[in-house]
Amino acid sequence: MSSSSAIATVATTVFEAGKYTTVLQKVESRTTCCTAKTSPPLPVPPPKPLLIVMPCEAGEFPLLVFLHGYLLYNSFYSQLLQHIASHGFIVIAPQIKTVALVFFWLYLVAGQDSSDEIKSVAATTNWLSEGLHHLLPPHVKPNLSKLGLAGHSRGGKTAFALALEKAATTLKFSALIGVDPVDGMGKGKQTPPPVLTYVPHSFDLDMAIMVIGSGLGELKKNPLFPPCAPEGVNHKDFFKECKGPASYFVVKDYGHLDMLDDDTEGIRGKTTYCLCKNGKSREPMRKFIGGVVVAFMKAYLGGDSSDLMAIKDGQTGPVELQTVEYIL
């Protein structure tokens, strides 16, 4: 058997649930905790509400901070985050910002400043070393020296901005993932502070990077709304500015929100089916993103690149890729 065949056999497992059972834990923020009357306050409450997804079994696990997209709730990613956690990761998903849907129109016209979101994620990252252990069972231990950062859509922009030190953190990230990242409504219409400079390989980052794009993201769902991942500010532009090591995957026939839960509830959840061009179902895209994130984290936080190399060699699980590129 060739080495590539052996790798391919191993790699198929990242697109399915891992060996760990998982639990989701919702945690209120510092402000909410201070005003709550029904439960004792946390010793060191987080600066923002959190969704924590972790293995139930004992062990020391790497961490991934995951940032949601604009107008979305962190809970909309529960199935994706459970997939990642089942492979042996603790995932921290802060609720960075919740705004009224009416502000969507302001975003379309002018673009909302993301500086506060960047600062909030920095504050949450700095909180991890002093507050996270109070929220985990004694047998589940976080390895803060193995820390990844990921974000979807506007959260992807925020993740890159934080990695580019637009806000200070006390912990060091070793891996950066943009899930269909977006830096505004179009070239010349970036939301402040802009991340893209349109200078090739200009991101000066001391960490591995992965950019995942959606093939349908830059297409309009209907004439009333612009595309959710417009040309000029989307995954293509983010990858062009990356230096190695960097990986780039674009999923064919799936859209900007196709990694969300199958059922996103409420008015905000229903809009996720209306605003963006989407594929036939969410499960294949969600499984691919969960699997490739696991493979990337294993490669650059765990030293095992076999799954990531197998995906690059064509083991793409439930989806077809229209682009695969990497920079060494």
Side-chain angles (χ1 to χ4, degrees):
M1 179 182 291
S2 68
S3 58
S4 60
S5 299
I7 289 173
T9 301
V10 172
T12 56
T13 62
V14 298
F15 300 116
E16 302 301 330
K19 67 179 182 179
Y20 296 96
T21 52
T22 61
V23 60
L24 287 82
Q25 181 178 353
K26 291 185 178 181
V27 183
E28 297 298 335
S29 66
R30 184 175 299 152
T31 302
T32 308
C33 288
C34 290
T35 58
K37 303 295 184 183
T38 57
S39 59
L42 295 170
V44 187
K48 288 289 180 179
L50 303 177
L51 180 64
I52 302 176
V53 191
M54 70 188 101
C56 293
E57 291 83 357
E60 183 180 60
F61 304 102
L63 268 70
L64 177 67
V65 176
F66 185 92
L67 313 179
H68 62 81
Y70 189 63
L71 292 177
L72 302 178
Y73 292 122
N74 53 9
S75 60
F76 289 175
Y77 300 85
S78 294
Q79 290 175 282
L80 172 63
L81 303 186
Q82 284 179 288
H83 183 124
I84 296 168
S86 74
H87 286 268
F89 298 96
I90 299 170
V91 187
I92 311 296
Q95 185 63 46
I96 308 169
K97 197 166 191 175
T98 304
V99 297
L101 288 174
V102 68
F103 282 101
F104 178 69
W105 299 106
L106 174 63
Y107 182 79
L108 295 184
V109 174
Q112 196 174 32
D113 192 304
S114 60
S115 298
D116 287 345
E117 294 157 63
I118 298 166
K119 292 176 183 176
S120 293
V121 179
T124 300
T125 302
N126 295 339
W127 166 87
L128 292 173
S129 58
E130 60 180 3
L132 180 60
H133 66 279
H134 293 293
L135 299 173
L136 303 180
H139 62 277
V140 176
K141 300 186 183 301
N143 186 341
L144 296 176
S145 67
K146 295 183 177 182
L147 181 62
L149 176 63
H152 168 232
S153 189
R154 182 179 167 99
K157 168 204 171 81
T158 302
F160 271 83
L162 186 61
L164 290 165
E165 299 182 346
K166 294 188 181 292
T169 59
T170 55
L171 295 176
K172 177 179 173 58
F173 293 104
S174 300
L176 174 64
I177 303 167
V179 180
D180 222 15
V182 178
D183 193 15
M185 300 310 301
K187 190 172 182 179
K189 299 179 181 178
Q190 293 168 262
T191 51
V195 169
L196 296 171
T197 65
Y198 303 101
V199 177
H201 311 301
S202 59
F203 288 156
D204 188 14
L205 295 170
D206 185 22
M207 66 187 74
I209 306 171
M210 179 170 67
V211 178
I212 307 166
S214 63
L216 302 179
E218 58 189 27
L219 303 180
K220 288 185 177 183
K221 173 80 170 181
N222 59 59
L224 296 177
F225 300 108
C228 289
E231 289 189 80
V233 288
N234 67 17
H235 54 90
K236 297 176 185 175
D237 306 282
F238 276 84
F239 183 68
K240 286 176 183 176
E241 299 197 26
C242 292
K243 296 179 181 179
S247 305
Y248 181 40
F249 304 97
V250 181
V251 184
K252 185 179 180 181
D253 296 328
Y254 287 91
H256 186 64
L257 298 177
D258 282 339
M259 73 294 299
L260 300 183
D261 290 353
D262 290 325
D263 185 15
T264 47
E265 299 179 347
I267 296 175
R268 201 176 297 256
K270 297 297 184 285
T271 64
T272 66
Y273 296 95
C274 305
L275 296 178
C276 303
K277 186 83 171 175
N278 52 351
K280 292 181 179 179
S281 67
R282 290 176 169 178
E283 184 180 29
M285 177 70 152
R286 188 173 60 241
K287 281 190 170 185
F288 174 77
I289 290 179
V292 77
V293 168
V294 167
F296 183 76
M297 295 277 284
K298 286 175 65 177
Y300 291 104
L301 298 184
D304 178 5
S305 62
S306 59
D307 292 312
L308 184 61
M309 292 306 300
I311 295 171
K312 290 177 179 178
D313 288 340
Q315 301 297 312
T316 62
V319 302
E320 181 181 350
L321 300 182
Q322 66 184 50
T323 304
V324 178
E325 295 181 27
Y326 50 95
I327 304 170
L328 298 177

